[in-house]
Amino acid sequence: MADFMNLIRNENMKMFRRPRLFVMLGIIVGLVIVFSGVWFSVDKGESAMWEVVITETMFLYWIITIFAAIASASTVAEEFSSGTIKMLLIRPWSRSKILLSKYISSLLFALFFAVAFLASLMLVNWILFDLLGNGTVDRLSDVMGVSNIEYLFKYYGLLFLGTMMTVTISFMLSTVFRSSILAIATALFIEIVVNNFMQLLAFVKYKWIDYVLFVHLDLTKYVGGNEYNGMTLGFSLAVLGVYYVLFMVLTWYIFNKRDVAA
């Protein structure tokens, strides 16, 4: 177990020591500061902090998913494109352990950025805005029966589940392609183009569409606890669970069967 934890630590060091980490962090914090600053200048700080945080989460969180997809799509593919995969496989670890350590590191990378984004949102908007703004009414408590912070963390949790699925897809692509550029480009195409297009299919009245992966990646439509187009959160999680198992099995099969001699 200690050896495996060291393996995860080594993978984390690879991911967190790269210059792109600081570039991504700068973009995240910069976007939060700019959006919050513009909001503050428009309404002179009259909005409630929670209202700003929740709204900015809805509009800016996608960048976290994009960064997580880029990182996970390059994890394995970069080892092949740089030739370091041979050195990695001669060490006293099985291929499955190596792959699992990379996958866990990819999830931890996504979690780090999700937490960093939320922390910057809370800090910046706590400085600029009052907790409840001009009023003393917790709007979400009145409308949905939940507090602002409860709504935020439920919404954020559902967002991160979608991010985890995207990381899994990107990680699978990283094992399929030897080129990290090709893996990243495919992951971004799926996330930006295919995912958004497929979301529109949810409004088409065909039963088979209910089983398309991309229709279920956005789980925030269930944040109020209601059905959406006849589907429930449990159904969406079940569909995602089936795809998750398929992707992981395919990822492990390809990586364990791949010839690295060439």
Side-chain angles (χ1 to χ4, degrees):
M1 185 63 181
D3 289 341
F4 182 67
M5 295 305 296
N6 287 331
L7 188 57
I8 294 177
R9 185 189 64 181
N10 291 338
E11 292 300 327
N12 282 332
M13 291 172 60
K14 291 180 184 179
M15 299 187 73
F16 284 88
R17 285 185 175 180
R18 292 173 181 172
R20 70 184 179 194
L21 170 72
F22 302 100
V23 174
M24 291 176 176
L25 273 178
I27 292 174
I28 291 170
V29 176
L31 284 174
V32 171
I33 292 174
V34 169
F35 272 72
S36 297
V38 171
W39 193 318
F40 180 82
S41 66
V42 170
D43 76 348
K44 308 304 179 183
E46 294 182 359
S47 296
M49 184 198 83
W50 292 110
E51 179 183 355
V52 181
V53 168
I54 292 171
T55 303
E56 289 188 5
T57 299
M58 293 177 179
F59 283 97
L60 295 179
Y61 182 86
W62 63 271
I63 196 71
I64 304 301
T65 303
I66 294 296
F67 287 164
I70 292 174
S72 58
S74 62
T75 304
V76 179
E78 281 186 352
E79 299 282 4
F80 282 98
S81 59
S82 64
T84 55
I85 187 65
K86 296 178 183 178
M87 297 178 60
L88 191 61
L89 293 180
I90 63 175
R91 296 181 179 180
W93 297 308
S94 66
R95 289 196 179 196
S96 293
K97 285 186 176 181
I98 292 172
L99 192 62
L100 181 59
S101 67
K102 288 182 174 294
Y103 179 65
I104 292 175
S105 296
S106 297
L107 292 179
L108 291 176
F109 190 85
L111 180 61
F112 170 78
F113 274 100
V115 172
F117 175 66
L118 182 59
S120 62
L121 273 178
M122 300 287 284
L123 178 60
V124 171
N125 291 299
W126 176 71
I127 293 173
L128 294 177
F129 301 92
D130 292 332
L131 194 63
L132 295 175
N134 268 353
T136 58
V137 179
D138 187 332
R139 297 179 185 177
L140 290 173
S141 292
D142 285 355
V143 176
M144 304 184 66
V146 296
S147 65
N148 284 311
I149 191 168
E150 181 181 352
Y151 179 89
L152 173 64
F153 280 100
K154 183 175 182 181
Y155 186 89
Y156 212 78
L158 291 174
L159 277 175
F160 190 71
L161 285 177
T163 300
M164 288 179 60
M165 197 67 193
T166 301
V167 166
T168 303
I169 297 171
S170 301
F171 189 76
M172 177 188 68
L173 293 173
S174 187
T175 64
V176 172
F177 300 113
R178 290 179 180 267
S179 169
S180 58
I181 296 177
L182 184 58
I184 292 173
T186 305
L188 291 178
F189 177 77
I190 291 175
E191 174 61 25
I192 297 174
V193 179
V194 178
N195 186 21
N196 290 328
F197 174 74
M198 287 296 180
Q199 291 292 338
L200 299 177
L201 289 181
F203 298 97
V204 180
K205 302 301 180 182
Y206 290 107
K207 189 62 180 176
W208 61 269
I209 294 176
D210 292 347
Y211 301 95
V212 175
L213 167 66
F214 300 99
V215 173
H216 301 278
L217 285 181
D218 181 15
L219 297 173
T220 58
K221 52 181 172 281
Y222 302 115
V223 71
N226 300 319
E227 292 187 358
Y228 182 82
N229 282 354
M231 297 181 291
T232 64
L233 176 60
F235 176 76
S236 289
L237 290 176
V239 173
L240 290 177
V242 172
Y243 278 105
Y244 179 86
V245 172
L246 290 175
F247 291 153
M248 295 305 289
V249 169
L250 181 61
T251 300
W252 252 255
Y253 178 80
I254 292 174
F255 186 75
N256 281 292
K257 293 297 182 179
R258 170 155 286 176
D259 181 16
V260 298

